[in-house]
Amino acid sequence: MNTLKRAWRMFWDRIDWLLLLPAVSLSVLSLVLLTGIYRSRHIPVLRLTASNITNQGFALAMGIAAAIILANVNYRAIVDKWALYVPFAYLFLLSTFVWGVGPPASPDIKRWLIIPGIGMSVQPSEFLKLAFILSFAFHVYKTQERFNRPHNILLLVLHALVPVALVQIQKDTGTALMFLAIFLSMMFVAGIKWYYITAALVAVPAIIPVVWMFVLRPMHKNRILAFLGQTAADIEREGFQAFHAARAVASGGLTGNGIFNPSPVYVPEMHNDFIFAFIADALGFLGCIGVILVITLIGIKILLTCGMAADKQGQMICAGVFAMIFGQSVLNICIVLSLLPVIGNSLPFLSSGGSFVLANFLGLGLVMSVYKHTKRRVKTDSFLP
């Protein structure tokens, strides 16, 4: 009995509550926000249903449980077994090209799979992010003594370009950008030399025309052009979301109009990519500041864990998860505030999407594992793998 109590106490003490609780608070807030949107007069034109909210709650419960379990598993053992889950993650994503489904408005965008017998959808690219972070951490760890040799840098770049290319073929530019952000964050923490960074910056002007001509979809080109010089015609087309998001942000004032206001300002995807606009409308400037502070706390806590990590693998995991959560949050909020052109991008822990919520909590679980399996904090973990 004493052994069980001691094991349970060690299990419980391994949870980094300062990281987990802020994320849970945002996700609980998300359920309330989605309920408010569902009860508004805009629900007929949104793709939000009661089952979506229920699935979000189910994903939240699964995510919390998974994060706690991962915190008690040595991250080194997870990284070392990359060959077991990375091929599965890629096959999972590739299956969308055969069995994938998309939204009714864009049936050609097939990013989701329907789970047979349940009817729930899952987005494989969200879990590929985690597989990429872990496999890239392993790759950097194995080459760390000769990391900055040109052929190793080239292999690491190719490692990153594979998921970027696959999700871009899915016409998911937002996720492709996040893979690039994860890659850049991990390379920076890995210690890439300044001359590679300089060479990359010099190459950017040459790369931009190629990306414009061969990578970006016409929709994204039009959105960028609308962002650079919005006209009345743009507001009715490509600039519609950005214009109405600005209206929603302005309408909230200092304290907002309430989450259950039946007539919030309508913004397309206000339950998903533009949920921050609804937060501004419902909770006002103070609510927005509160959400940003909580997200910032999560980001700072991940960086602190990165700084105290005992080895390169732990540092790489924290750097990747930091970009996946905090970097994506900054990008999403900047888009809603019209500081960047509109590119599909969800807000971690708040946007609708069960796969998205679960993947974010799995990422936090990996960071908590780094936090609790560092020699400076844990004297022994002999009972763990």
Side-chain angles (χ1 to χ4, degrees):
M1 183 62 70
N2 289 333
T3 302
L4 289 175
K5 287 182 178 179
R6 186 165 57 252
W8 173 253
R9 186 166 59 252
M10 291 181 69
F11 178 90
W12 193 255
D13 289 344
R14 288 177 184 272
I15 309 306
D16 185 359
W17 296 108
L18 192 57
L19 179 62
L20 184 61
L21 289 180
V24 172
S25 68
L26 289 179
S27 293
V28 172
L29 174 63
S30 172
L31 295 177
V32 179
L33 294 170
L34 293 176
T35 302
I37 295 172
Y38 178 73
R39 293 176 57 179
S40 75
R41 64 181 178 85
H42 301 307
I43 194 60
V45 294
L46 294 171
R47 298 192 306 272
L48 180 67
T49 65
S51 62
N52 292 141
I53 301 174
T54 301
N55 293 341
Q56 184 99 344
F58 180 65
L60 170 59
M62 286 183 60
I64 294 171
I68 291 174
I69 292 172
L70 277 179
N72 286 273
V73 177
N74 196 320
Y75 65 92
R76 301 177 187 91
I78 301 174
V79 172
D80 289 343
K81 293 177 175 59
W82 66 269
L84 296 178
Y85 50 81
V86 170
F88 175 78
Y90 276 103
L91 288 173
F92 197 30
L93 179 73
L94 290 171
S95 65
T96 61
F97 293 103
V98 180
W99 299 291
V101 297
S106 305
D108 60 319
I109 301 177
K110 298 181 179 181
R111 304 172 191 163
W112 294 267
L113 293 172
I114 302 298
I115 301 176
I118 301 178
M120 293 176 60
S121 62
V122 60
Q123 188 172 1
S125 61
E126 293 298 335
F127 302 104
L128 183 60
K129 290 178 187 176
L130 297 169
F132 171 73
I133 289 171
L134 293 168
S135 63
F136 201 80
F138 181 84
H139 193 162
V140 171
Y141 173 72
K142 286 299 183 181
T143 62
Q144 59 181 325
E145 294 181 357
R146 51 195 187 279
F147 170 75
N148 277 291
R149 293 182 180 178
H151 71 280
N152 283 327
I153 296 296
L154 178 60
L155 289 175
L156 288 164
V157 170
L158 292 175
H159 188 154
L161 286 179
V162 173
V164 170
L166 286 175
V167 296
Q168 184 59 38
I169 293 172
Q170 283 189 320
K171 302 178 181 179
D172 191 355
T173 303
T175 300
L177 286 175
M178 288 317 305
F179 272 106
L180 285 176
I182 292 168
F183 163 71
L184 293 174
S185 176
M186 296 180 77
M187 290 292 281
F188 179 79
V189 172
I192 189 170
K193 294 294 185 180
W194 64 267
Y195 45 80
Y196 290 114
I197 299 174
T198 303
L201 293 175
V202 170
V204 167
I207 295 173
I208 289 176
V210 176
V211 172
W212 182 268
M213 294 175 62
F214 302 107
V215 177
L216 292 180
R217 298 166 59 198
M219 176 184 68
H220 291 130
K221 293 179 183 179
N222 292 333
R223 286 178 173 177
I224 292 172
L225 293 173
F227 171 77
L228 295 175
Q230 195 171 79
T231 65
D234 293 327
I235 292 173
E236 295 301 322
R237 298 194 302 269
E238 288 78 16
F240 186 86
Q241 277 183 301
F243 175 76
H244 288 281
R247 287 185 58 231
V249 171
S251 72
L254 183 64
T255 58
N257 301 309
I259 293 175
F260 298 103
N261 171 29
S263 300
V265 175
Y266 171 71
V267 184
E269 300 297 326
M270 60 196 294
H271 62 295
N272 195 355
D273 294 355
F274 279 79
I275 196 167
F276 192 76
F278 179 72
I279 293 172
D281 188 328
L283 302 177
F285 176 78
L286 295 179
C288 290
I289 292 298
V291 167
I292 291 172
L293 287 176
V294 175
I295 293 172
T296 302
L297 173 62
I298 293 172
I300 291 173
K301 193 66 181 68
I302 295 173
L303 287 180
L304 290 174
T305 302
C306 181
M308 58 158 272
D311 55 28
K312 186 64 70 175
Q313 294 181 71
Q315 292 174 354
M316 291 296 97
I317 289 172
C318 292
V321 175
F322 173 80
M324 186 180 85
I325 293 177
F326 186 78
Q328 184 157 345
S329 298
V330 172
L331 180 61
N332 176 275
I333 293 172
C334 286
I335 289 172
V336 173
L337 297 179
S338 297
L339 299 176
L340 290 172
V342 176
I343 295 176
N345 189 277
S346 300
L347 184 57
F349 306 112
L350 289 159
S351 291
S352 174
S355 301
F356 187 56
V357 170
L358 180 56
N360 285 326
F361 274 100
L362 287 171
L364 290 186
L366 292 172
V367 174
M368 289 195 293
S369 177
V370 175
Y371 179 79
K372 292 301 182 181
H373 291 90
T374 297
K375 290 182 180 179
R376 280 173 282 176
R377 294 194 53 84
V378 183
K379 294 182 179 179
T380 178
D381 54 4
S382 58
F383 71 100
L384 295 169

